[in-house]
Each structure stands twice: as structure tokens, then as C-alpha cells.
Amino acid sequence: MKRTLVLAGAIAAAVFAASPASAATPNGPSPSDTAAISGLLASPGTAARLAHTKFPGAGPAHATRAAADANTQIPVYEPTAAFISGNSDVPAALAYVASPAHLADGRAATVWTQPSASGWQVINVASGNDEQVHAAAAHGGYLLHEPQVNAWYSVSGNTVTVLDGAVSGVPAGTRVTLAAYQAELQKRYGDKLPGSTYDKTGSGGGYAAPAPNTSPDSLPVLALALGGAAVVVGGGVLFLRRRLKHDK
């Protein structure tokens, strides 16, 4: 499958050339959230879900007890509609918290947790350990994911660092200003935000419901049907890993 290029052309050439946007750090999980997530990951319900989850293809030869690492919690953020449109200086919102795990067949997996009106819940079990790998390369920055093109970045202050050169077509380690990245997001998605003609005509294939007490402008882009062809191309790559694989 041909992969969509991210930060190509002018943006790749604009490293630190644009005036930086005012950086504001997005809100992350609180200490009470961290404790709630730990309890959820260690619960019998999560263990049972992992025990019944199967990924396609042959797994490792050894069997093990399915479990999640309750002590490793990786916040994953995604750009918001408000940042893309230029109405917010906060680049992203928390999309989910990722924790490494393994299935009963020994395969590596990642548990996604997300807050809801009734508390934290497991929303997905994904294959592999992408979030853990990217977080290790983020070197103190927060982990930013652009799901439409399945691109990963580290954000620190006004600097955005590419983490996934193989997917984006831009070498890993390439740095751009936050303003340059915002300009690229506006070019890709600015005419596809909630309330746009693209939205109203249903061209994006529908929109996810907002989280409780959350304004659409503050939703991470995972909850927005953005990108047109980028959703089909980038989202297709994403879906191969991200689809729920809970097989009873």
C-alpha cells in the first residue's frame, strides 16, 4: 500500500524557518487517573480480554499468562480541530493511554485506555508495541500521533521531531517548528473540520460522537473523520493494527 508523505516538500525545507507558535502543553492524566488505570489494567476483566484476544497469523511457540503492564502508562496525544484551525495554542489533546501487554500465545500487544463518563475503560487491544517504541525515542517530549497518515512525533516546547521516518517519508530525527507543523495540518485538514462543507455533506464518511462534556474543537483528530483520501490511505494503514481484535 502506498503511504502518504508527511511534512514533505515545503515543510521539510522549513525547519526552524517559520516563527514558532506559542506552545502550551496539553493536559495529561492526573495522579488519580494513573491509579485508576493501574487498577483497570490489573483487573480480572482486562486479563480475560487479553486471554481471549487473538491476532492473525502464527504466534510464538510458547504459551504464557496474558497480562498488561500496569506500571507502564504512555499518554498518546493527537492534534485538535482548534489547533488545526488556529483557534488554540494547545497543539493536542489526550487520545488514549497505552500500556504494553502480552497475549496468552506470548505475542506483544498494547492496551488502550480512555476516560469515559463512568471512569477509565479499555477501548482497544492493538498488536505490537508501537507506542512503547516511539515513547522511548521521544526523549522527554510528549508523544503526538497523527492517525490520518499514521505518523508519530515528539513535541517539546516549540519543536516537533519526526519519529517515524519510514511512514512519513521524512527521516526520523527531522525537526520542524510547531508553527510549520500547524501550517501543514491546516493544508491537509483545514477544509475538513467540523462545520465545514466536507463535514456537512458527509464526505468524511461520518463523525464520531464527542466524549462526555467535551467540545468538538478540543477533540483529538482520532474522533474526527478528516483527510479525505488521507483517511483511506493513512487510515487504512492504521486500521490494520488498530482494529479491535477481541475474539471469543
Side-chain angles (χ1 to χ4, degrees):
M1 179 181 295
K2 184 177 179 181
R3 291 185 172 167
T4 305
L5 297 182
V6 180
L7 296 178
I11 294 300
V15 178
F16 294 107
S19 59
S22 298
T25 303
N27 292 326
S30 67
S32 61
D33 291 329
T34 299
I37 294 168
S38 293
L40 177 61
L41 292 173
S43 69
T46 299
R49 179 164 181 172
L50 289 169
H52 288 95
T53 298
K54 297 178 182 178
F55 298 138
H62 64 282
T64 186
R65 185 176 68 87
D69 180 357
N71 296 318
T72 302
Q73 299 177 21
I74 303 167
V76 177
Y77 300 86
E78 292 170 1
T80 64
F83 179 70
I84 294 170
S85 64
N87 293 320
S88 173
D89 63 354
V90 183
L94 181 69
Y96 60 93
V97 174
S99 297
H102 56 264
L103 307 183
D105 63 4
R107 287 198 182 197
T110 300
V111 177
W112 291 14
T113 55
Q114 192 179 70
S116 70
S118 58
W120 285 84
Q121 61 181 345
V122 174
I123 63 165
N124 194 16
V125 176
S127 60
N129 62 343
D130 291 9
E131 291 84 357
Q132 190 174 20
V133 170
H134 293 311
H139 299 300
Y142 64 83
L143 196 60
L144 180 68
H145 182 222
E146 191 183 334
Q148 284 71 25
V149 289
N150 197 22
W152 294 86
Y153 310 91
S154 170
V155 182
S156 180
N158 290 313
T159 302
V160 180
T161 303
V162 177
L163 298 177
D164 64 337
V167 172
S168 69
V170 177
T174 298
R175 296 186 299 167
V176 303
T177 63
L178 188 60
Y181 179 63
Q182 184 181 42
E184 181 66 11
L185 289 175
Q186 288 172 345
K187 287 194 296 184
R188 283 205 292 274
Y189 310 125
D191 62 345
K192 302 175 180 67
L193 297 175
S196 65
T197 300
Y198 185 90
D199 175 9
K200 292 175 181 177
T201 59
S203 298
Y207 290 77
N213 302 318
T214 304
S215 145
D217 275 352
S218 67
L219 285 173
V221 291
L222 182 62
L224 305 174
L226 299 179
V231 171
V232 176
V233 178
V237 174
L238 180 68
F239 186 72
L240 291 176
R241 175 179 182 250
R242 302 307 187 193
R243 65 181 299 174
L244 291 173
K245 302 181 178 69
H246 185 202
D247 184 10
K248 290 187 176 180

